[in-house]
Amino acid sequence: MTLRLTDDEADALRRQAEREDRSMQEVVREAVREYVERRTHSARVDEALHVLAPRCANLLDRLGKA
């Protein structure tokens, strides 16, 4: 895989890696892991809401009126 960054992105990544005393590769790999974890979590929450919202519609309606 080849990752192509703009000059600004590469500079920002380089500065961040230097601040953390890590390689640019380490910073990118962690960023990718965090991104995937967030997206996976968001997808699971969306799926749960899709299932639970209809089941709890009456309760949600009553709570909204309280």
Side-chain angles (χ1 to χ4, degrees):
M1 178 187 136
T2 300
L3 177 64
R4 290 180 179 82
L5 302 173
T6 65
D7 290 342
D8 290 342
E9 292 167 337
D11 289 341
L13 176 58
R14 188 176 296 105
R15 286 191 306 272
Q16 186 63 36
E18 287 172 0
R19 279 192 292 272
E20 296 179 15
D21 194 31
R22 297 169 40 184
S23 71
M24 291 171 57
Q25 181 176 340
E26 287 175 310
V27 173
V28 169
R29 290 178 65 207
E30 181 178 351
V32 169
R33 282 192 303 273
E34 289 176 4
Y35 173 84
V36 170
E37 287 172 13
R38 272 194 320 273
R39 289 294 178 115
T40 301
H41 175 75
S42 293
R44 288 199 316 255
V45 168
D46 288 347
E47 289 170 13
L49 287 173
H50 182 74
V51 170
L52 294 175
R55 292 182 190 174
C56 302
N58 188 25
L59 174 62
L60 293 171
D61 185 52
R62 288 193 322 233
L63 286 172
K65 293 177 182 175

